[in-house]
Amino acid sequence: MKEVVITKPHEYAVREVPLPGITNDFEVLVQMKAVGICGSDHHIYHGANPCSTYPRIPGHENVGIVVKVGPKVTKVNIGDRVVIDLIITCGECYQCKIGRENVCENVRVRGSGTDGGLREYIVVPEEDAYVFPETIPFRDAALIEPYAIGAHCTQRGRLVAEDIVFILGTGTIGSIILQTCKEKGCTVICCDVNDETLARAKGYGADYIINSKKENIVARVQEITRGKGVTVAFDSACFQGSLTSLFEVGLVRNAGRIVSLGFVTAPETISQAMLNQRELDLIGSRMSCYQFKPTIEKFARHAFNLNGIATTFIPFNEIEKMFYYMDHPDPKVKKMVVLFE
Ligand SMILES: [Zn+2]
Ligand SMILES: [Zn+2]
């Protein structure tokens, strides 16, 4: 089989290797069908992901079909279509025991800390393979993982239908959070610097859009919320200073929540007073936890508008095109999905 390896930052190789074998009774062999490519894959290729080591097979939004099962496998069958969990956990630590496995102290992530799915076959424990119905095409199923992130961060933010939500950044994850909020019945204000992605957000159900290059964010939010401010804000823009900007007085109301999704290592400038004067909750969010199965159910009943979330489909045997777009960013290529066959 073929596998794609990032050998070191900015270099990759396509290697011919033997098929991986099932090494314990509870594993399954999955023939890969689709892999979604996201920001962290770009970071691994560019050497900017602090969690990644090399050589590394990227790919954490992994979808395939089960072709072989270990002797004690009971939860999946040969022929099942599965999305593969990216998180490998210990099951023993404090976090695992309180249902926060995504931040397990021994967590390993397929596609960054350990090898991922950008190869023709992968072996995984049956526990990590979630079956989805045939009505969901592979190319759509590659989006289940990012929508699981949307489900997770909105759960972290304790969202309810009455919330008025502000989303900074309407790229892929911002658009997914928007759809997740709308599915819960919230009112959503989307903010970005790009009219085109804001128009897309409108199409996905944004109630209000703000172009922060042309309009003052706080003034517009005050106008929309009749001087109250929003109840929850998400930072899906994730640049240095983006988190601090959500603390501006007038944006989030007293007792509101701010959910952060970024991994910028440069410090923000948040004072104790900015947090405590209004008793805000600042909430961290990483990947997802127990969200694959509910997200599959939502995909099966077409709860989301997947149109235009993945913008670019790359055949696995033309993988050089994926790396070309990583080296030559194109605003039209917002999210790639690699398809096998
Ligand atoms: Zn991702
Ligand atoms: Zn653990």
Side-chain angles (χ1 to χ4, degrees), residues 46-261:
H46 294 301
N49 184 324
C51 304
S52 187
T53 51
Y54 304 88
R56 179 65 58 232
I57 300 174
H60 59 272
E61 301 173 2
N62 298 320
V63 168
I65 195 158
V66 176
V67 290
K68 198 172 171 184
V69 297
K72 290 188 181 155
V73 166
T74 56
K75 292 179 178 133
V76 296
N77 296 302
I78 290 172
D80 279 347
R81 293 149 178 257
V82 293
V83 51
I84 298 167
D85 204 326
L86 67 166
I87 301 168
I88 302 168
T89 61
C90 74
E92 302 288 333
C93 70
Y94 167 76
Q95 295 88 328
C96 281
K97 293 211 162 110
I98 63 161
R100 302 279 295 274
E101 294 193 335
N102 54 324
V103 285
C104 163
E105 63 188 43
N106 301 302
V107 72
R108 284 185 304 147
V109 181
R110 290 193 176 89
S112 61
T114 187
D115 283 334
L118 211 55
R119 46 176 150 170
E120 289 178 300
Y121 292 87
I122 187 171
V123 168
V124 298
E126 63 168 338
E127 294 288 345
D128 292 352
Y130 308 106
V131 179
F132 63 88
E134 277 180 30
T135 51
I136 305 173
F138 292 120
R139 57 169 58 206
D140 289 349
L143 300 172
I144 290 170
E145 193 277 331
Y147 275 82
I149 292 176
H152 180 71
C153 70
T154 51
Q155 187 184 61
R156 293 283 296 145
R158 306 189 299 275
L159 259 71
V160 292
E162 291 71 30
D163 277 314
I164 303 174
V165 181
F166 177 83
I167 300 172
L168 186 67
T170 51
T172 303
I173 284 294
S175 299
I176 288 172
I177 296 169
L178 157 64
Q179 291 192 21
T180 313
C181 293
K182 289 310 295 177
E183 204 259 338
K184 288 180 192 290
C186 309
T187 302
V188 183
I189 305 168
C190 283
C191 179
D192 202 289
V193 292
N194 182 308
D195 279 329
E196 190 206 331
T197 68
L198 284 168
R200 185 174 74 151
K202 201 94 178 114
Y204 293 145
D207 298 279
Y208 304 93
I209 53 174
I210 300 173
N211 184 327
S212 58
K213 267 194 176 158
K214 301 174 185 169
E215 298 169 285
N216 179 282
I217 296 174
V218 171
R220 275 286 285 142
V221 166
Q222 284 286 303
E223 185 189 330
I224 293 163
T225 61
R226 298 201 183 93
K228 303 282 189 199
V230 299
T231 58
V232 187
F234 287 91
D235 179 12
S236 51
C238 310
F239 54 86
Q240 186 190 1
S242 58
L243 182 59
T244 303
S245 77
L246 297 182
F247 283 82
E248 195 173 336
V249 174
L251 182 49
V252 178
R253 71 180 70 171
N254 294 7
R257 291 146 275 160
I258 294 176
V259 183
S260 168
L261 287 102

Side-chain angles (χ1 to χ4, degrees), residues 36-41 60-61 145-146 149 335:
I37 304 300
C38 90
S40 64
D41 298 304
H60 59 272
E61 301 173 2
E145 193 277 331
I149 292 176
K335 184 173 184 66

